[in-house]
Amino acid sequence: MSTQNLIVIGNGMVGHHFLEQFVATPAAAQYRIQVFGEEPLLAYDRVHLSEYFQDASHDDLALGTLEWYSEQGIGLNLGEQVTGIDRDRQVVVTGQGEYPYDALVLATGSYPFVPPIPGKDRPHCLVYRTLADLDAIRASAEGASRGVVVGGGLLGLEAANALKSLGLEAHVVEFAPRLMPVQLDDDGGRLLKRKIEELGVRVHTEKATSAIVAGQDHRLRMEFGDDDHLETDLIVFSAGIRPQDALARDAGLELGQRGGVVIDDQCTTSDPRIFAIGECALWSERIFGLVAPGYTMARTLAAHLNGDGEAAFTGADMSTKLKLLGVDVGSIGDAHGATDGARSIRFNDEAAGHYRRMVISADGKKLLGAILVGDNGPYDTLLQYALNGIALPEHPETLILPQHEGGAPALGPDALPETASICSCHNVSKGDICGAIDAGCGDLAAVKADTKASTGCGGCAALLKSVVENELEKRGVEVSKDICEHFPYSRQELFHLVRVNGIRTFNTLINQHGRGRGCDICKPAVASILASCWNEHILATEHVPLQDTNDTFMANMQKNGTYSVVPRVPGGEITPDKLIVLGQVAKEYGLYTKITGGQRVDLFGATLSELPEIWEKLIAAGFETGHAYGKSLRTVKSCVGSTWCRYGVQDSVGMAIFLEDRYKGLRSPHKIKFAVSGCTRECAEAQSKDIGVIATENGWNLYVCGNGGMRPRHADLFATDLSDEELVRTIDRVLMFYIRTADRLQRTSVWLENLEGGLDYLKQVILEDSLGLGEELEAHMNDIVGTYQCEWKATVEDPEKRKRFREFVNAPQKRDPVQQWTTERDQRRPVTEDIS
């Protein structure tokens, strides 16, 4: 049989996925394959496009390599735009020539819709679609202070986050009365608006832009139909997409009334030799704007070309789970209750910022749809009920209410049928996963490589992990303790690799011992390990991309987008002069003040740009960072001890101050709290702390691995009547052994509970030095103590680090007018009522 020509127009995610699927079929041997991409870059992941502003490069986002195309024998024509299709001659036309085809696949995708607003073509009016678009946005942001996104949908909110990450004051303008009008209802949209505004993005709903003209204080001015206006330095249009169907239109293919290349269930157009997949295709009067349906079309077409007579595209689930500017949002099935007879159950916790809506069938037996804002915890369970028609429990509301005794349990892996869809992007069912495990896939990474599950949007990662681990355990396989898919090691093993090999950056570690770009699990964990090992500044250039918000800005973000400042007060002892300074700073910046449970003063309500100014004033008065934002030593609480108390037998304040000064800045798997009591009356509550010290007539008793919080645990008596030197040496060893061997985000109490041999084993290691590690643990602690630096002081003295705290570039720093305040008990606090 003679070789035929297969041409694919479009090298985006869907076009690339089709090529991956098709070259794996026997039919591929019958074709000479060529692909044309308008962009000069290899296909890349548009789902994670925003990572491009977080130091990701095209190589990081690329879906394939030049070598892969070469190995598959695919002719790759990048930067070569197809300008026409001659159906009579069966050729496609480009600026470089003509190319014959026997089968032609249109995977041209979509283009951003720009509303027909007068002035939309002005300089600094941009779109958010390609890496070139993002480069243009980055260039436009130079010298700018404010940016506006037109469109409050998924991409619009991603674009707003991108503007915020570039240091701009970000605004979102939405024509509809709520954000994400397709996915959310009024209550969900209202909560999302509130949460996003609390994070510093201004939202303007029900705004129709009538014209874009030159601004007075900024580059541009947006005129609204209600006689209002908004000035900005750049505008990003993200008001939806339109199918890229110009080639098909010019070639005379059948299109929908509003665009889109009409296809049947086999993705065939009105010309039997031409096919269409992805966002350019119109199936049953619908355009699918998510990657998962496009992938399903790609698989269907590959199977059809391979001779599978039953291959058919029959629609796709449009459920979505994502984080928008750090806010959980989920939408499942018939989220708006359009089905006849549908009934809704709503749970709205305004204080916690959680909104959940279930849409159920008229008989109350089936879940039709759901909306989640603020907490996606129930998403996986609800999705499986909806997709698989699983009968709802007797009281379905328990699926969205906070968990309590007697409530419906989460839907475990065993409750899912074999047909349950785990990954909609790649159409992977529970049965596919079981089949992969039975075929030899022995861990999560192998299952992902075999099935492609969770390699699309990644929203099914938690559910996939649960199913894989459950199935492996049922087969008697020991489940991997790998920290995540990017590192085939536990946290303890990663710590060992970092320490022994002297690794000082995440990139070095992942290049030598991991794979991929990392994730929200391994990046902060490695940041903690690096800090525990080398004690470098948290804002060192190579460490910044690893940190969460609190660590990045060395302050705790509060519910309204402001920050709290907690200076260290060792042992709770503070002079009158320092107290006066705290009062002066709080008064100058209008900060709410509160004494914490750890005997410190917490200052609430500082803006990002105010942080360095506040730190400077506190440092000048002798304060240091209290590390309230980090997984590190927080406080050492104390009573007044023998200095004042008639019952005290030791100087508990002096010992508390010494211990806090010694271990301040120590980074660990979880936060650590100490307390020192001057006698057995225990006024400092030492036995509820990670490290508790109680004075005796002969020295100090040491208690370890206790904690308060959601799951209180009484600390265990570890050693008695220790001298000062013995106490410090023992604590050194316990803490460093914990840091080296605990799991990610594991408190000392849980660590001890999971430590094989428990308390007795820990005593052998620490007190008897059964592993011969004692001197090494002490030396490592001494290194940490000797390299301590106040992270606040190092930041305010470094102009480059200080730049990170500018909210508005090249503009005066000012209070955010969106943040609403009220006065209560003579102090300013944020408004908690609905202010929309």
Side-chain angles (χ1 to χ4, degrees):
M1 180 181 294
S2 61
T3 302
Q4 301 183 74
N5 294 305
L6 171 66
I7 288 179
V8 179
I9 303 176
N11 188 226
M13 295 183 72
V14 173
H16 179 77
H17 189 68
F18 165 74
L19 292 172
E20 285 185 320
Q21 299 297 308
F22 185 62
V23 297
T25 68
Q30 304 169 19
Y31 288 93
R32 181 184 301 107
I33 306 172
Q34 290 194 84
V35 59
F36 291 83
E38 187 174 333
E39 292 184 74
L41 302 170
L42 280 173
Y44 54 86
D45 183 354
R46 296 186 198 274
V47 174
H48 298 96
L49 199 60
S50 59
E51 293 181 13
Y52 191 61
F53 286 124
Q54 302 168 10
D55 298 325
S57 65
H58 167 258
D59 288 344
D60 295 325
L61 298 174
L63 298 174
T65 63
L66 291 173
E67 290 75 19
W68 181 83
Y69 283 89
S70 177
E71 290 169 0
Q72 303 302 326
I74 299 173
L76 186 60
N77 304 275
L78 296 178
E80 186 171 351
Q81 182 180 3
V82 175
T83 56
I85 301 170
D86 188 330
R87 292 168 54 197
D88 294 331
R89 297 168 51 223
Q90 290 184 226
V91 297
V92 299
V93 181
T94 75
Q96 281 71 45
E98 296 182 345
Y99 302 83
Y101 69 83
D102 295 287
L104 175 63
V105 178
L106 301 178
T108 49
S110 61
Y111 64 89
F113 170 64
V114 178
I117 303 168
K120 64 181 175 61
D121 297 322
R122 282 179 171 272
H124 303 290
C125 289
L126 309 163
V127 295
Y128 186 89
R129 185 66 175 169
T130 67
L131 290 181
D133 294 334
L134 269 61
D135 286 333
I137 292 170
R138 197 197 307 267
S140 181
E142 290 291 329
S145 61
R146 180 183 294 171
V148 172
V149 176
V150 176
L154 299 177
L155 283 178
L157 295 177
E158 276 196 31
N161 191 38
L163 296 185
K164 194 168 182 289
S165 72
L166 291 172
L168 301 182
E169 175 190 316
H171 293 248
V172 173
V173 173
E174 168 58 47
F175 177 75
R178 63 177 181 269
L179 294 174
M180 295 182 64
V182 175
Q183 291 84 9
L184 302 182
D185 59 11
D186 288 340
D187 288 335
R190 187 179 302 115
L191 176 59
L192 179 60
K193 177 177 183 286
R194 191 192 90 191
K195 282 182 164 288
I196 286 177
E197 287 186 330
E198 287 173 352
L199 294 172
V201 175
R202 329 287 176 84
V203 178
H204 313 263
T205 53
E206 296 186 273
K207 292 291 185 183
T209 308
S210 58
I212 299 171
V213 299
Q216 295 180 353
D217 300 322
H218 297 269
R219 296 168 183 162
L220 303 167
R221 176 185 172 111
M222 302 174 69
E223 303 282 0
F224 298 133
D226 56 2
D227 295 327
D228 196 5
H229 69 273
L230 175 63
E231 291 207 356
T232 181
D233 294 303
L234 64 97
I235 298 172
V236 178
F237 289 102
S238 186
I241 60 171
R242 297 292 183 269
Q244 189 72 269
D245 57 13
L247 276 175
R249 185 183 304 275
D250 293 342
L253 294 175
E254 182 183 354
L255 303 182
Q257 187 174 357
R258 296 186 177 181
V261 187
V262 174
I263 62 170
D264 62 15
D265 291 355
Q266 284 69 46
C267 301
T268 308
T269 70
S270 54
D271 184 329
R273 294 160 299 191
I274 301 177
F275 309 88
I277 55 178
E279 292 174 344
C280 69
L282 180 74
W283 177 85
S284 191
E285 299 296 323
R286 292 187 67 188
I287 295 288
F288 295 88
L290 297 177
V291 69
Y295 279 4
T296 302
M297 290 182 190
R299 289 190 296 272
T300 299
L301 178 56
H304 173 67
L305 292 177
N306 191 47
D308 184 350
E310 296 183 359
F313 178 77
T314 56
D317 174 51
M318 296 293 284
S319 300
T320 54
K321 178 175 74 168
L322 60 158
K323 265 190 190 295
L324 296 169
L325 292 98
V327 180
D328 278 355
V329 178
S331 179
I332 297 172
D334 180 13
H336 294 286
T339 305
D340 288 342
R343 298 186 285 121
S344 290
I345 301 173
R346 291 178 173 88
F347 169 73
N348 194 357
D349 186 343
E350 294 183 353
H354 296 164
Y355 174 70
R356 301 167 185 170
R357 175 183 178 182
M358 293 172 59
V359 179
I360 63 176
S361 59
D363 60 8
K365 295 181 178 180
K366 303 295 181 184
L367 179 68
L368 304 177
I371 292 173
L372 303 168
V373 178
D375 177 20
N376 271 336
Y379 180 90
D380 289 338
T381 294
L382 295 176
L383 181 65
Q384 293 306 319
Y385 272 104
L387 291 183
N388 298 293
I390 298 172
L392 289 169
E394 180 181 357
H395 299 288
E397 66 276 7
T398 58
L399 294 174
I400 60 172
L401 291 175
Q403 290 189 5
H404 58 84
E405 188 174 351
L411 199 62
D414 283 333
L416 301 178
E418 293 288 297
T419 55
S421 174
I422 305 301
C423 174
S424 58
C425 286
H426 291 279
N427 194 31
V428 182
S429 67
K430 177 184 174 183
D432 295 329
I433 293 168
C434 294
I437 293 173
D438 290 336
C441 293
D443 56 27
L444 180 62
V447 171
K448 292 178 70 171
D450 185 76
T451 65
K452 299 292 186 182
S454 195
T455 61
C457 72
C460 63
L463 179 60
L464 175 67
K465 185 174 186 292
S466 173
V467 172
V468 170
E469 290 184 352
N470 182 67
E471 293 300 322
L472 287 172
E473 288 175 349
K474 285 165 62 176
R475 290 160 174 77
V477 178
E478 184 177 355
V479 175
S480 168
K481 300 301 181 184
D482 296 352
I483 193 168
C484 71
E485 65 194 80
H486 301 101
F487 287 102
Y489 302 101
S490 65
R491 182 195 173 277
Q492 300 95 312
E493 291 167 334
L494 284 179
F495 188 101
H496 181 76
L497 289 171
V498 168
R499 185 71 181 172
V500 171
N501 296 305
I503 295 173
R504 290 181 177 266
T505 70
F506 178 83
N507 286 339
T508 302
L509 182 64
I510 200 166
N511 288 336
Q512 293 182 4
H513 302 287
R515 52 183 175 268
R517 303 192 300 272
C519 63
D520 291 340
I521 294 174
C522 62
K523 284 182 177 180
V526 171
S528 174
I529 290 171
L530 293 171
S532 296
C533 284
W534 316 120
N535 217 22
E536 294 175 342
H537 195 281
I538 196 170
L539 293 189
T541 303
E542 60 271 19
H543 301 329
V544 171
L546 310 179
Q547 311 295 350
D548 63 17
T549 298
N550 289 350
D551 273 322
T552 298
F553 299 118
M554 294 177 288
N556 288 334
M557 177 181 276
Q558 302 302 314
K559 64 188 296 182
N560 67 338
T562 60
Y563 295 83
S564 67
V565 177
V566 187
R568 188 169 296 286
V569 180
E573 180 182 85
I574 188 167
T575 64
D577 285 340
K578 284 188 175 182
L579 277 173
I580 289 170
V581 170
L582 290 177
Q584 289 172 335
V585 170
K587 191 171 183 179
E588 179 180 352
Y589 291 92
L591 306 178
Y592 171 90
T593 58
K594 178 147 188 340
I595 307 298
T596 74
Q599 300 175 327
R600 306 196 288 193
V601 179
D602 205 341
L603 309 173
F604 291 83
T607 66
L608 185 64
S609 61
E610 288 171 344
L611 290 176
E613 301 171 11
I614 293 171
W615 296 340
E616 281 183 317
K617 295 178 187 296
L618 296 177
I619 290 166
F623 287 104
E624 296 178 315
T625 171
H627 285 93
Y629 47 83
K631 298 294 185 286
S632 55
L633 174 70
R634 294 293 180 86
T635 59
V636 181
K637 189 175 182 179
S638 73
C639 62
V640 295
S642 59
T643 307
W644 292 93
C645 180
R646 65 183 186 274
Y647 301 108
V649 295
Q650 298 286 353
D651 180 9
S652 58
V653 178
M655 178 56 73
I657 292 172
F658 176 84
L659 293 176
E660 189 157 350
D661 281 337
R662 178 168 181 80
Y663 300 114
K664 62 187 179 184
L666 176 68
R667 296 280 171 162
S668 51
H670 209 289
K671 63 185 177 184
I672 303 172
K673 296 182 180 181
F674 284 31
V676 182
S677 287
C679 72
T680 55
R681 295 171 72 91
E682 249 284 70
C683 293
E685 302 168 334
Q687 293 177 77
S688 65
K689 300 294 188 287
D690 299 276
I691 298 292
V693 179
I694 300 178
T696 70
E697 294 286 352
N698 300 314
W700 306 96
N701 285 352
L702 175 62
Y703 291 78
V704 299
C705 302
N707 66 259
M710 294 178 64
R711 188 181 167 217
R713 183 187 189 277
H714 201 279
D716 289 300
L717 179 62
F718 193 70
T720 60
D721 295 332
L722 299 173
S723 67
D724 290 0
E725 290 183 357
E726 291 171 333
L727 176 68
V728 172
R729 182 168 64 248
T730 305
I731 294 174
D732 280 357
R733 292 184 178 188
V734 170
L735 288 179
M736 197 51 66
F737 190 59
Y738 159 65
I739 288 170
R740 290 188 176 198
T741 60
D743 287 334
R744 182 183 72 93
L745 299 178
Q746 189 175 53
R747 296 205 67 165
T748 58
S749 56
V750 181
W751 168 68
L752 181 59
E753 289 171 358
N754 288 279
L755 196 64
E756 189 171 348
L759 185 66
D760 290 339
Y761 172 72
L762 185 61
K763 286 181 177 180
Q764 292 170 10
V765 172
I766 302 303
L767 302 178
E768 301 171 19
D769 199 15
S770 61
L771 299 180
L773 290 175
E775 291 185 2
E776 181 183 336
L777 297 174
E778 293 171 35
H780 189 177
M781 183 63 78
N782 284 328
D783 287 342
I784 297 296
V785 172
T787 54
Y788 169 79
Q789 58 182 317
C790 173
E791 292 171 347
W792 286 353
K793 187 173 187 292
T795 299
V796 299
E797 293 177 350
D798 186 331
E800 288 302 312
K801 291 185 176 69
R802 192 160 181 159
K803 284 180 181 179
R804 295 187 177 276
F805 297 86
R806 296 182 300 177
E807 289 185 282
F808 310 115
V809 180
N810 296 332
Q813 307 300 307
K814 54 190 177 182
R815 285 275 176 177
D816 188 339
V818 171
Q819 291 164 350
Q820 302 292 310
W821 302 90
T822 188
T823 300
E824 184 175 64
R825 295 184 293 278
D826 298 324
Q827 291 209 79
R828 193 180 68 150
R829 69 159 177 84
V831 172
T832 56
E833 295 82 10
D834 184 4
I835 60 172
S836 60

